[in-house]
Structure formats: C-alpha cells, structure tokens
C-alpha cells in the first residue's frame, strides 16, 4: 500500500539543516513534509559543537530559550604543542552579541526544533519518522524536474509530491547520489578516532583543548553534562593497523597527548566498540541544485570536524534558503522560479563555506607538521597568541561571519563545580 502526501516542499533528513529549514518555511506559511529515517532523536552524535553565529541565529529563531539547561558555553580555546601552551583564546574578549560557541547535544536541539514546528506551525509542518528515501519522482517520464520523493516506511511506501525537494541528508547523502549531480570527494590524509570519557577533575569545563605532539593531535571537547569527547588522528585508513596493535596502543597514544586521562581511558575503553571512527573528507559540489531539487548542509558541502563547522553551516544554509523559497512561491512557485531561488542560495553561501573549508584545511596541514615543520607551527601559534586582533581575525573566519560587532547580549555561564 502506498500513502501519498502533497506539500510545497519535501525535506529529506531531520538533522539541524532539515529541521531548521522546515521550521523557517512553516513559519512563512510554506507547507513542508520532513522525512526522517530515525525513530527518535535520542541517538549518538559527534557534531555537538555550535558556533557563535549559529547560537545567535537560534536565539533569533526562538529556539535557544527552549534549550536552557541543555548546553554549556565555551569560554576559551587552548592549544598545547609538545607540552607548551602556544595559543590561548578567550571568547569573553570577542566583541560580538553572542561570542560563545556552545556544546549542545543534538538530540536536545533536534527535539526543540521538531517541537517548535509541531506545536507552533502545525498547519504547515509535518514530520514523518522511520522514512528512508528510495527514489526521486520525476516529471516527463523521468527526464523532467524532480517532483518529490518516494520513501520506505514500516507501513509501506510513502510518496511525497512537492514543488521543491531538499536534500538535507548529510555527508553520505543518498538524495545527492540519486540526483546524479556531480561532486568530488576529497579525502584528507587522516581519519579521527572518537571516544567519550568522564571529565577530568583538574580541567575547567569551559575550554576547548587541542593537544599536539609531533604529527599527532587530539581534540578534547567538554560535553554536557559531565563528559569529554576525545578525537585523535590516525593515518587515512589506519584503523585496521591500530586495532591490530591492541588497546594498549590506543592508551599509549592518549597518554602522550593527555596524561590526565590515563586512568579513565583504561577504565572506560575496554573494547574497540567503545570507540568510533570518522572518515575525514570534504566534498566539492559544483552545482547544489537542479530543477525541483536543492542540496543543503553536508549534502552540499561536507566539511571536517575542525572548529565544529558542520552544524554551523547547516543552520545558516537553512535560514538563508527559507526566505528565498518563500519569495519563489510568491512569484508563482514554478520550477523556474524555484531553481532561481536555489541558485541564489548557492551564490549567497559559497564564499562563506569556502572560507571555512580553507581555514580547516590550513589547520589540518599545520597539525600534520613535525620536525622543523613543528617548530614553524609553534612559532605561528605564538605570533597569533600575542595579538587579540589576530585571534579575532583567525577565528572570525569560522565563528563570526554573520554577527556584527556589538555588546554581549548573554552573560558568561559560571564553570561547573566538580568534585
């Protein structure tokens, strides 16, 4: 049995990009159906870092108040190289309304967005769970514009007929594959192993820590409410070799980067199933749209984990695209108007995404240096450390692309008291 739905827009993927877009469209009286694979949002995510610009946007959208108590501000960043701290950044000194990145569990963010859509914009917002997109619907016997999506559910097939379909289904986008829009996947030289540990008592929980030793580095991210997410680099495709060396090799690698975690990593990580591996790559998509279809978020521009840019650009994509789609429907909502809106969206977003990608790739290259290159890296970080203006310039490319300088509108959260 096939269930048929009709909407002006069908969004495939209920992540930060898809749900933010759906809420923004519904708020503008555009009918939208969101197809989401999962049964619920209470699952494990790596992408919990939300940049200051996105925090500012979530505040403007009325979502941040719904998340009070579920996230924690980050007040600083500290880079330690070969045992010496070479750069410290204090976000409290950055002159923007929302200067703080936050660590926010994605289940809380997604639940808040879905709740906002279902309770305040229910007339225009429909969320269908356990729905996996299987094919694109096309006009003119399959050669014309995309006209919607067919999806598999436990109750049978569902088809959603829509004037515009939005691929918001992530870095391994199935909709992008089905569309046959060309793209290039650029693997980086390294992958990242992730794990989660109890937060060490000697650390404050408002600081991002980057530890570098030789050509190895680790990211240590405070995670609400009382954990630290740890990501450390391995050579591309090197997980099999690391696992062959046994867990002691993992312990020793972390010992070199963060001896404070020596006890907890041995107590908590008892098998490789307690870790996960992220394949690091970036994706270049020349065209983000075709008649009846547009890509957003990771589906359009996969980024690396450096500085938590995935969620940031997903949310900015959504708030950029929504008014353009509304305008296209006001012009008649035909395929040509929607394609023009999609192309305007790409033009509006490409430069910003490119700046973040460039910053990430430069940092990846710096992290990989060792020997004489490591000396150069430490010198560069120390130069930046001596200048608040340089810190604002370097981090501004990732954190402050939308906000204008101005007084803080949020107070700094106090650090948690840890026993």
């Amino acid at each position: 049995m096939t269930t048929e739905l009709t909407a002006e827009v069908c969004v495939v993927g209920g992540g930060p990009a898809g749900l933010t877009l759906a809420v923004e469209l519904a708020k503008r009286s555009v009918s939208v159906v969101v197809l989401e694979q999962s049964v619920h949002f209470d699952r494990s995510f790596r992408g919990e870092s939300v940049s200051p610009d996105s925090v500012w946007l979530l505040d403007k959208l009325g979502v941040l108040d719904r998340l009070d108590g579920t996230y924690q501000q980050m007040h600083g960043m500290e880079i330690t190289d070969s045992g010496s701290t070479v750069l410290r950044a204090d976000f409290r000194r950055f002159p923007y309304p929302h200067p703080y990145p936050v660590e926010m569990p994605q289940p809380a963010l997604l639940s808040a967005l879905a709740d906002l859509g279902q309770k305040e914009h229910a007339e225009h917002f429909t969320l269908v769970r356990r729905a996996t997109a299987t094919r694109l619907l096309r006009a003119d016997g399959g050669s014309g514009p995309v006209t919607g999506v067919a999806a598999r559910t436990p109750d049978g097939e569902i088809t959603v007929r829509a004037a515009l379909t939005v691929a918001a289904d992530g870095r391994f986008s199935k909709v992008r594959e089905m569309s046959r829009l060309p793209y290039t996947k650029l693997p980086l030289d390294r992958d990242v192993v992730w794990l989660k540990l109890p937060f060490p008592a000697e650390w404050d929980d408002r600081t991002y820590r980057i530890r570098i030793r030789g050509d190895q580095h680790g990211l240590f991210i405070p995670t609400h409410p009382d954990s630290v997410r740890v990501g450390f680099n391995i050579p591309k495709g090197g997980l099999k070799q690391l696992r062959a060396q046994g867990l002691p090799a993992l312990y020793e690698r972390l010992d070199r980067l963060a001896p404070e975690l020596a006890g907890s990593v041995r107590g908590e990580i008892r098998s490789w199933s307690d870790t996960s591996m992220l394949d690091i790559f970036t994706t270049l998509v020349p065209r983000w749209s075709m008649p009846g279809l547009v890509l957003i978020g990771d589906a359009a521009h996969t980024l690396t984990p450096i500085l938590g840019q995935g969620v940031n650009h997903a949310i900015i994509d959504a708030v950029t695209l929504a008014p353009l789609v509304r305008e296209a429907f006001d012009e008649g909502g035909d395929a040509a108007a929607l394609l023009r809106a999609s192309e305007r969206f790409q033009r509006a977003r490409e430069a910003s995404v490119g700046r973040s990608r460039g910053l990430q790739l430069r940092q990846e290259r710096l992290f990989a240096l060792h020997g004489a290159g490591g000396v150069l890296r430490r010198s560069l970080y120390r130069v930046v450390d001596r200048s608040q203006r340089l810190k604002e310039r370097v981090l501004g490319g990732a954190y402050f692309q939308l906000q204008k300088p101005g007084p803080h509108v949020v107070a700094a959260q106090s650090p948690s008291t840890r026993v």
Side-chain angles (χ1 to χ4, degrees), residues 7-11 21-22 24-26 28-32 163-166 292-294 296 317-334 337-345:
E8 290 171 298
V9 176
C10 177
V11 176
L21 176 64
E24 284 294 281
L25 289 172
R28 291 170 168 81
S29 301
V30 175
S31 62
V32 57
L164 181 67
T165 297
V166 180
L293 175 70
V294 62
I296 69 172
D317 277 2
V319 300
T320 302
L321 179 60
L324 296 175
V325 171
R326 174 68 271 175
E327 184 179 323
F329 280 115
D330 290 342
E331 294 172 0
D334 60 16
L338 288 164
L339 182 59
R340 287 194 299 271
S342 299
E343 291 170 343
R344 287 175 61 195
F345 159 68

Side-chain angles (χ1 to χ4, degrees), residues 111-185:
S111 295
L113 287 167
D115 186 67
L116 181 62
Q118 291 169 326
K119 290 186 177 178
E120 297 195 14
H121 308 291
E123 181 181 356
H124 303 289
F125 180 99
T126 301
L127 173 62
V128 180
R129 297 183 183 272
R130 303 175 72 185
T132 302
T134 56
R135 58 190 170 90
L136 295 175
L137 308 179
R138 307 287 292 264
D140 302 328
S143 61
V146 174
T147 58
V149 181
R152 182 180 65 253
T153 78
D155 300 319
E157 184 177 75
I158 182 172
T159 61
V160 183
R161 302 282 177 180
L164 181 67
T165 297
V166 180
D169 53 342
R171 64 205 303 262
F172 299 108
S173 172
K174 293 180 180 178
V175 176
R176 184 181 63 208
E177 295 293 336
M178 290 187 288
S179 75
R180 298 186 180 177
L181 282 167
Y183 69 93
T184 302
K185 179 179 175 181

Side-chain angles (χ1 to χ4, degrees), residues 40 50 83 107 195 210 246 290 310 312 337 353 397-398:
H40 48 68
V50 181
L195 50 95
I210 300 172
M290 59 191 298
N312 185 44
V353 171

Side-chain angles (χ1 to χ4, degrees), residues 6 10 18 48-49 56 60 116 121 127 140 152 185 187 198 209 212 254 264 295 303 344 371 380 394 400 403:
T6 301
C10 177
E48 298 190 346
S49 301
W56 174 67
K60 290 181 66 176
L116 181 62
H121 308 291
L127 173 62
D140 302 328
R152 182 180 65 253
K185 179 179 175 181
R209 290 171 176 82
I212 309 171
L254 278 186
S264 62
L295 315 180
L303 298 171
R344 287 175 61 195
L380 288 172
V394 170
F400 303 106
Q403 297 182 73

Side-chain angles (χ1 to χ4, degrees), residues 94-289:
F94 283 56
Y96 295 91
H98 279 273
Y100 309 111
V102 305
E103 289 303 306
M104 181 184 297
Q106 268 203 34
L109 172 60
L110 300 181
S111 295
L113 287 167
D115 186 67
L116 181 62
Q118 291 169 326
K119 290 186 177 178
E120 297 195 14
H121 308 291
E123 181 181 356
H124 303 289
F125 180 99
T126 301
L127 173 62
V128 180
R129 297 183 183 272
R130 303 175 72 185
T132 302
T134 56
R135 58 190 170 90
L136 295 175
L137 308 179
R138 307 287 292 264
D140 302 328
S143 61
V146 174
T147 58
V149 181
R152 182 180 65 253
T153 78
D155 300 319
E157 184 177 75
I158 182 172
T159 61
V160 183
R161 302 282 177 180
L164 181 67
T165 297
V166 180
D169 53 342
R171 64 205 303 262
F172 299 108
S173 172
K174 293 180 180 178
V175 176
R176 184 181 63 208
E177 295 293 336
M178 290 187 288
S179 75
R180 298 186 180 177
L181 282 167
Y183 69 93
T184 302
K185 179 179 175 181
L186 301 175
L188 274 65
D189 292 336
R190 302 180 301 167
D191 294 325
V192 174
V193 174
W194 287 97
L195 50 95
K196 187 179 287 190
L197 299 172
F199 200 88
E202 58 265 48
W203 287 359
D204 79 86
D205 61 354
R206 295 290 185 265
T207 300
Y208 291 127
R209 290 171 176 82
I210 300 172
R211 300 281 180 88
I212 309 171
R213 193 167 289 276
D215 62 348
Q216 297 181 10
H217 77 269
L219 310 176
F220 303 87
I221 304 173
T223 301
H224 183 83
D226 55 7
S227 301
V228 57
R229 294 199 314 284
V230 179
F232 64 86
N233 70 290
I234 60 173
K236 173 64 67 178
L239 183 61
K240 182 177 180 180
Q241 181 180 357
L242 179 65
R243 293 182 68 163
Q245 298 171 25
L247 284 173
L250 181 149
Y251 302 153
E252 290 166 10
R253 181 177 286 257
L254 278 186
D255 288 348
R256 289 193 293 272
L257 294 170
E260 305 96 320
L261 301 176
S264 62
V265 71
R266 287 164 173 79
E268 299 290 327
I269 308 302
R270 308 304 296 270
S271 75
W272 288 102
S273 63
D274 296 323
T275 70
S276 61
M277 196 277 289
L278 182 63
D279 178 15
I280 304 298
F281 62 87
T282 186
T283 304
L284 301 177
V285 186
R287 286 193 302 120
W288 299 359
S289 61

